[in-house]
Amino acid sequence: MTVDATRNVRRAEHASLEEYLSTALTPRQRERVLIVSFSQWSIATATVGEIAATLHEMGTLPIIGLWADQTPLRDVGWTTSRVLSRLFVSPSRDDRLRRGLENFGLPSEAFVSPPIRHWRPADPLPRPTAYIRSAIREVTYRGARVGRALLQVHPDRETPVTDEHVWPKRWVDACIRSFAYAYDQTAQVIADQQATAAVVFNGRFLHDSAVAGAAEHAGIPVLSFDSGGNDTDFDLTIDATHDWSALQGRMRRMYETWDPAERDRIGGQWFEERLDHVDPRNALFVESQTVGKGLEGAEGQRMVVYFSSSGDEISELDLDWGDYFHGQPGALLELARVCRGLPDTFFVVRTHPHKRMKPARDVEEWHQAVREAAPDLHLDEYSDIDSYTLMRQADVVVTYGSTTGVEAAYAGKPVIVMGPSAYDELGCAIRVSDTRGIEDALRAATPGDASGAIAYGLMMRRRGFLARHVTVDGGREILAGEPIVESRPLVLKLSDIVNRVTRARLLRR
């Protein structure tokens, strides 16, 4: 949670967490809610505290598993060794979270450890037929999709999306084993404690996905929490992770039920801050761009600009890729072919600035796709041309699902979406799935409904909830008088060294 308690926010998407839990879950489902946390990131510990305190205040006893230091392979959100924190008498965030919840009134029996003391996998551990992405993706454990969860976090920064890359065997096997541990322990807790619902962080990461799989197998609902909007503290939803249709339904409901006198101002402010390069969540992508710098020399022609999307962020979505040109390179090539057949059309490809930080193999393959497409102009990831000025110069903006599409729609531009997105049902952009659709959309070049784009911006600012129990004072999160802060820097440094050594061993070929 990053917003100070003194912020002046009149309204979030939801009036209160208590109200949402009362509508998302039945009274029976709220009786014994299991919250398992494997992450020691600030957003995770603070939100676990808020949810647990709210459930307790509602008269139920949550079941809380703070298991960040319990899994065979440490989670991506792990920061602190329990052994080291106790050796140096410096409590971890989890330790302080527990103190805060106990101060709030939760009894010791609300906290559970992994119940299987001498754990062995309940089923034989699966192995992929090959250690490449497509084969790993198909791996399951007790019916849960461990392979897809494993692929969400790469073992190192140079792991590409391409299916030709061979993943480290030790790493993959360790991930599968750790997933199985989290699944089996959760299944046992659900049975022992008669859990009636489960709450996880994000729902995509390895261990959280295992908890979700065990809960779904037990027939209980799963809620996922994550970061909130720019003006809110956190989000929690019973919708499936990456259910973008459900998310867009939330956007429409927010816009329709919000005060008309302020919804356009709040939603529009999200776009304006990105336009001015002052949104901190977007800073990494615009740091090399010059505000207001556009293109010169395309006068007299209709400019069609394609803004690329993040390949690694969409590669694991469970979709029929035949509906999306079989991937982004295929979409780009088809768009380029259509543009070449249209008179007085200047085709520009703007490569997303994130490519500066992506694996070399992925960057190389994308640039090869651009060369094959042969646009009139390619602005690579290092170009200082301002993306927001460029989209305003464009006559038509095309994207594979990048946020740039909805930003261009807010600017009043015709927008064509060729891939999966979180705004293609809002009326602000046209989604196409074949060549005829591209041709028709380019010829029509009709701007969409601006209110759809504003609904997106409204969600990005006010998504989720404001915290009531966890407050922020001087940068410190506090629950019932207990600051939920990190261990001493020495403990964090030593923990990081331990983690690096473990990873190095698993990544050794």
Side-chain angles (χ1 to χ4, degrees):
M1 300 190 182
T2 58
V3 184
D4 193 274
T6 60
R7 64 207 181 288
N8 181 23
V9 175
R10 290 170 50 194
R11 177 182 172 187
E13 176 190 4
H14 300 290
S16 71
L17 180 57
E18 179 177 358
E19 179 181 290
Y20 181 77
L21 291 171
S22 296
T23 57
L25 301 175
T26 67
R28 166 63 181 151
Q29 291 168 340
R30 294 197 301 272
E31 286 181 2
R32 297 286 285 161
V33 178
L34 172 64
I35 311 171
V36 184
S37 176
F38 302 96
S39 175
Q40 294 163 321
W41 288 337
S42 171
I43 177 61
T45 53
T47 306
V48 166
E50 185 68 27
I51 296 170
T54 300
L55 286 165
H56 180 65
E57 190 177 56
M58 293 173 70
T60 67
L61 181 64
I63 311 159
I64 306 164
L66 303 177
W67 294 356
D69 203 55
Q70 303 292 317
T71 53
L73 182 66
R74 297 300 180 252
D75 193 84
V76 64
W78 176 86
T79 63
T80 313
S81 161
R82 175 180 294 184
V83 171
L84 291 171
S85 68
R86 292 182 176 177
L87 179 64
F88 288 93
V89 196
S90 180
S92 67
R93 290 183 64 90
D94 283 343
D95 294 328
R96 292 187 176 275
L97 171 59
R98 175 165 179 163
R99 288 183 190 176
L101 287 171
E102 288 175 338
N103 290 349
F104 194 81
L106 272 75
S108 59
E109 55 263 32
F111 300 89
V112 294
S113 299
I116 307 173
R117 297 192 55 149
H118 304 290
W119 174 79
R120 290 186 178 182
D123 285 356
L125 292 178
R127 295 288 181 268
T129 55
Y131 285 80
I132 59 175
R133 181 176 291 273
S134 59
I136 293 171
R137 186 184 295 118
E138 300 305 314
V139 176
T140 62
Y141 177 75
R142 298 180 68 178
R145 305 181 74 172
V146 54
R148 193 171 287 275
L150 187 161
L151 294 172
Q152 293 294 333
V153 179
H154 293 181
D156 58 41
R157 293 186 177 182
E158 285 304 311
T159 300
V161 174
T162 176
D163 199 42
E164 297 174 3
H165 175 75
V166 177
W167 286 52
K169 182 178 184 299
R170 290 189 185 92
W171 169 266
V172 173
D173 290 348
C175 286
I176 293 172
R177 181 175 181 80
S178 207
F179 180 99
Y181 175 90
Y183 185 107
D184 290 348
Q185 298 286 7
T186 301
Q188 192 64 50
V189 166
I190 291 172
D192 292 347
Q193 300 285 336
Q194 297 183 320
T196 54
V199 175
V200 297
F201 173 42
N202 188 279
R204 294 181 303 156
F205 296 143
L206 186 72
H207 301 107
D208 302 289
S209 181
V211 172
E216 290 165 0
H217 182 75
I220 63 176
V222 179
L223 296 93
S224 302
F225 69 86
D226 213 322
S227 301
N230 288 14
D231 297 332
T232 54
D233 295 324
F234 67 97
D235 188 26
L236 176 74
T237 179
I238 200 167
D239 298 326
T241 301
H242 275 145
D243 186 342
W244 285 342
S245 183
L247 178 61
Q248 291 176 78
R250 289 170 61 185
M251 292 177 187
R252 289 194 297 270
R253 286 191 295 275
M254 278 187 72
Y255 188 80
E256 291 165 1
T257 59
W258 208 279
D259 181 356
E262 67 171 14
R263 64 189 180 188
D264 289 359
R265 175 184 59 80
I266 297 171
Q269 189 177 14
W270 184 79
F271 293 100
E272 297 300 328
E273 288 183 354
R274 292 168 76 88
L275 171 66
D276 294 335
H277 295 198
V278 296
D279 182 349
R281 297 188 180 188
N282 199 43
L284 189 63
F285 296 149
V286 296
E287 62 182 4
S288 65
Q289 299 180 14
T290 302
V291 177
K293 184 173 182 178
L295 287 182
E296 298 179 1
E299 293 82 2
Q301 298 184 80
R302 186 173 70 151
M303 187 191 302
V304 176
V305 183
Y306 180 88
F307 290 84
S308 74
S309 304
S310 178
D312 58 339
E313 291 175 1
I314 62 176
S315 61
E316 295 312 319
L317 297 182
D318 194 8
L319 300 168
D320 180 358
W321 290 101
D323 291 338
Y324 299 99
F325 301 91
H326 300 283
Q328 186 163 207
L332 175 63
L333 291 172
E334 193 61 23
L335 175 64
R337 189 187 69 77
V338 172
C339 285
R340 280 193 293 271
L342 297 175
D344 300 321
T345 298
F346 190 75
F347 181 42
V348 180
V349 172
R350 167 72 198 203
T351 291
H352 199 295
H354 65 181
K355 277 289 189 282
R356 295 171 299 153
M357 298 153 271
K358 296 301 179 181
R361 180 68 176 278
D362 287 344
V363 176
E364 176 186 338
E365 289 189 351
W366 171 249
H367 280 274
Q368 177 59 35
V370 174
R371 287 192 291 271
E372 292 179 21
D376 296 295
L377 177 65
H378 175 214
L379 301 172
D380 68 18
E381 58 270 29
Y382 296 99
S383 171
D384 65 349
I385 295 294
D386 180 19
S387 292
Y388 297 98
T389 300
L390 178 63
M391 72 177 64
R392 282 161 173 75
Q393 289 183 301
D395 294 291
V396 182
V397 167
V398 188
T399 179
Y400 199 66
S402 167
T403 309
T404 305
V406 73
E407 291 172 312
Y410 173 77
K413 297 296 178 177
V415 176
I416 301 172
V417 183
M418 304 180 73
S421 82
Y423 53 85
D424 60 344
E425 299 176 15
L426 299 177
C428 59
I430 297 175
R431 189 174 89 78
V432 299
S433 57
D434 55 31
T435 302
R436 179 63 180 271
I438 300 173
E439 294 172 345
D440 290 346
L442 283 174
R443 289 192 177 96
T446 304
D449 182 1
S451 68
I454 294 172
Y456 185 101
L458 181 63
M459 173 66 78
M460 293 303 105
R461 290 201 68 92
R462 299 295 175 86
R463 176 178 180 171
F465 306 83
L466 297 175
R468 290 196 306 113
H469 304 298
V470 177
T471 60
V472 179
D473 185 9
R476 300 190 310 167
E477 294 154 347
I478 300 172
L479 173 60
E482 179 70 26
I484 309 174
V485 295
E486 294 280 15
S487 296
R488 291 165 50 192
L490 176 60
V491 173
L492 295 179
K493 183 175 182 179
L494 292 175
S495 297
D496 183 59
I497 291 173
V498 170
N499 196 33
R500 287 175 180 271
V501 169
T502 301
R503 291 173 65 89
R505 176 178 59 80
L506 294 174
L507 298 181
R508 194 165 55 241
R509 296 286 183 174

